[in-house]
């Protein structure tokens, strides 16, 4: 919940937000053991309502996302209102409760609808070289990550920017997640690349977010997302090219009260010569941004980036709740 209240010009989200995420996870895990989900739910919803009421920047950021999605798709019903912004906050609270269920074994794979038209799931068990999964902060990442635990029993390595990876791993172990490992990657240095290559050779899979720019100084590229320029990380596509591994997309959206996990092939290979590297990576990032936008339309209130994603000028909050007002910054 930490990135709900970040101010422009403050610490990068990976320095500030993930610290709060660690303490939130520790806090909620303790409360769950003490109270159980039934008693914890009202408290968690109250916390999210507090952030909705006092998190002005977070409200603006969600309203901006909804406005851009409506303009890009031509669907006026997606334009932001106070009610629609509040629904997105509450969807976030609901996802937090579901995360707790995942790590305590109360959301088995049988209750998750798997969409895998090319049978990528079978490749998890073939014993060959691992692959790269790119996911985003749309839907419930924990359900996606739990694919490694819920019946698949494959080693999944999640690449993160948080400095608290060791503490997160300890908490995940306490929750029973034995096949999930968080690996902190601020820079793609030779040591990290060698470690990741060895994991792929052992048949392990790598997962990385494709919609969060790395720590300041990291590589990113600006592409069109929902009709406006936004920064996306180059990391997933640099990794795919350097490690010479296929790239698949992983998403998990809650549709009609049931999670729908989708695996889809995206790039059989990413390769370039040095002079064309930047152009090739930009093309792949743009393709990913377009696919992410399409997924946003499937679950519009499940976008959980609560900070100024487009880094545009702040809008007056009176625009939130003004029907028919479209974004002019296309």
């Amino acid at each position: 919940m930490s990135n709900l209240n970040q101010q422009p010009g403050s610490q990068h989200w990976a320095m500030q937000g993930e610290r709060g995420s660690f303490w939130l996870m520790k806090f909620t895990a303790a409360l769950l053991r003490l109270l159980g989900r039934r008693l914890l739910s009202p408290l968690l919803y109250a916390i999210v309502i507090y952030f909705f009421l006092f998190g002005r920047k977070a409200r603006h950021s969600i309203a901006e996302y909804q406005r851009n999605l409506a303009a890009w798709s031509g669907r006026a019903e997606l334009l932001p209102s106070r009610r629609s912004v509040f629904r997105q906050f509450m969807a976030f609270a609901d996802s937090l409760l579901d995360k707790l269920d995942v790590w305590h074994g109360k959301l088995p794979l049988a209750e998750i609808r798997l969409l895998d038209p090319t049978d990528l799931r079978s490749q998890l068990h073939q014993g060959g070289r691992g692959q790269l999964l790119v996911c985003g902060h749309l839907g419930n990442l924990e359900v996606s990550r739990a694919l490694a635990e819920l019946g698949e029993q494959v080693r999944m390595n999640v690449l993160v920017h948080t400095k608290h990876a060791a503490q997160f791993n300890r908490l995940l172990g306490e929750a029973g997640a034995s096949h999930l490992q968080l690996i902190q990657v601020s820079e793609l240095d030779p040591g990290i690349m060698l470690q990741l290559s060895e994991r792929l050779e052992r048949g392990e899979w790598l997962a990385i977010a494709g919609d969060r720019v790395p720590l300041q100084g990291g590589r990113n590229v600006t592409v069109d997302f929902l009709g406006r320029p936004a920064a996306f990380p180059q990391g997933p596509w640099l990794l795919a090219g350097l490690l010479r591994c296929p790239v698949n997309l992983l998403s998990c959206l809650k549709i009609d009260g049931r999670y729908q996990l989708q695996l889809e092939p995206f790039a059989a290979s990413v390769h370039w010569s040095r002079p064309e590297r930047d152009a090739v990576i930009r093309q792949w990032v743009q393709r990913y941004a377009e696919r992410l936008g399409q997924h946003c339309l499937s679950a519009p209130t499940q976008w959980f980036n609560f900070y100024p994603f487009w880094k545009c000028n702040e809008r007056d909050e009176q625009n939130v709740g003004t029907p028919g007002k479209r974004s002019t910054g296309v």
Side-chain angles (χ1 to χ4, degrees):
M1 194 181 306
S2 52
N3 44 343
L4 290 178
N5 218 10
Q6 185 177 4
Q7 305 293 326
S10 62
Q11 288 180 301
H12 188 278
W13 67 264
M15 297 292 290
Q16 175 177 331
E18 296 294 344
R19 178 173 62 248
S21 294
F22 168 67
W23 288 110
L24 176 63
M25 183 177 177
K26 192 175 181 67
F27 174 69
T28 52
L31 282 182
L32 183 66
R33 288 193 297 268
L34 181 65
L35 303 176
R37 173 165 178 157
R38 184 175 180 181
L39 294 178
L40 177 61
S41 298
L43 175 61
L44 191 56
Y45 281 115
I47 293 173
V48 172
I49 290 172
Y50 170 84
F51 277 101
F52 171 77
L53 293 174
F54 297 99
R56 180 175 179 272
K57 301 302 180 184
R59 291 198 307 271
H60 274 286
S61 298
I62 294 304
E64 180 185 36
Y65 154 74
Q66 293 183 0
R67 188 178 297 111
N68 291 343
L69 184 63
W72 177 74
S73 64
R75 292 173 54 181
E77 72 273 15
L78 298 179
L79 284 165
S81 64
R82 292 187 185 277
R83 178 175 294 180
S84 68
V85 172
F86 179 70
R87 280 202 307 268
Q88 196 144 334
F89 275 74
M90 297 308 287
F92 180 66
D94 185 59
S95 75
L96 290 178
L97 291 169
D98 288 339
K99 289 177 184 182
L100 297 175
D101 281 347
V102 167
W103 296 124
H104 288 82
K106 297 179 180 179
L107 189 64
L109 192 62
E111 296 182 11
I112 301 173
R113 183 186 179 197
L114 180 64
L115 300 181
D116 185 16
T118 59
D119 200 23
L120 284 173
R121 182 184 178 188
S122 66
Q123 298 179 29
L124 294 171
H125 306 285
Q126 289 179 355
R129 196 165 184 262
Q131 300 186 29
L132 182 66
L133 293 172
V134 177
C135 50
H137 290 76
L138 175 75
N140 199 322
L141 279 176
E142 300 305 320
V143 175
S144 300
R145 292 170 178 175
L147 182 70
E149 300 291 331
L150 302 177
E152 301 301 335
Q153 300 298 299
V154 297
R155 191 73 176 181
M156 188 77 71
N157 303 281
V158 181
L159 310 185
V160 297
H161 300 300
T162 175
K163 298 293 186 181
H164 296 280
Q167 294 99 319
F168 272 117
N169 282 331
R170 187 175 68 251
L171 287 175
L172 289 171
E174 292 172 358
S178 60
H179 289 78
L180 186 71
Q181 179 78 18
L182 303 190
I183 301 176
Q184 191 264 321
V185 285
S186 297
E187 297 291 341
L188 299 180
D189 57 61
I192 286 291
M193 293 302 299
L194 178 60
Q195 178 188 161
L196 298 181
S197 179
E198 290 174 345
R199 290 178 182 273
L200 286 175
E201 292 300 331
R202 293 198 296 264
E204 299 179 17
W205 284 51
L206 308 178
I208 187 171
D211 62 343
R212 287 280 181 89
V213 294
L215 296 171
Q216 293 175 358
R219 295 176 180 272
N220 63 76
V221 59
T222 298
V223 297
D224 180 274
F225 177 55
L226 302 186
R228 302 194 57 206
F232 281 77
Q234 293 186 17
W237 321 105
L238 284 171
L239 273 177
L242 294 172
L243 295 173
R244 300 184 181 278
C245 62
V247 180
N248 308 302
L249 300 187
L250 175 65
S251 63
C252 192
L253 306 177
K254 198 169 189 177
I255 308 295
D256 297 327
R258 184 181 181 187
Y259 277 106
Q260 181 173 288
L261 192 150
Q262 182 168 343
L263 285 167
E264 55 182 301
F266 191 69
S269 64
V270 177
H271 55 84
W272 61 78
S273 62
R274 184 172 292 274
E276 65 178 7
R277 184 186 68 179
D278 290 346
V280 169
I281 289 179
R282 179 181 293 275
Q283 291 174 2
W284 282 111
V285 174
Q286 183 61 68
R287 286 184 59 185
Y288 172 72
E290 291 171 359
R291 189 69 184 121
L292 180 61
Q294 294 167 5
H295 281 301
C296 286
L297 287 176
S298 299
T301 62
Q302 293 179 44
W303 168 262
F304 299 139
N305 282 309
F306 290 86
Y307 65 96
F309 195 85
W310 287 266
K311 293 184 172 59
C312 68
N313 295 328
E314 292 295 322
R315 291 183 176 87
D316 193 319
E317 189 162 359
Q318 68 183 3
N319 289 344
V320 180
T322 304
K325 188 176 182 63
R326 287 178 175 263
S327 171
T328 57
V330 176

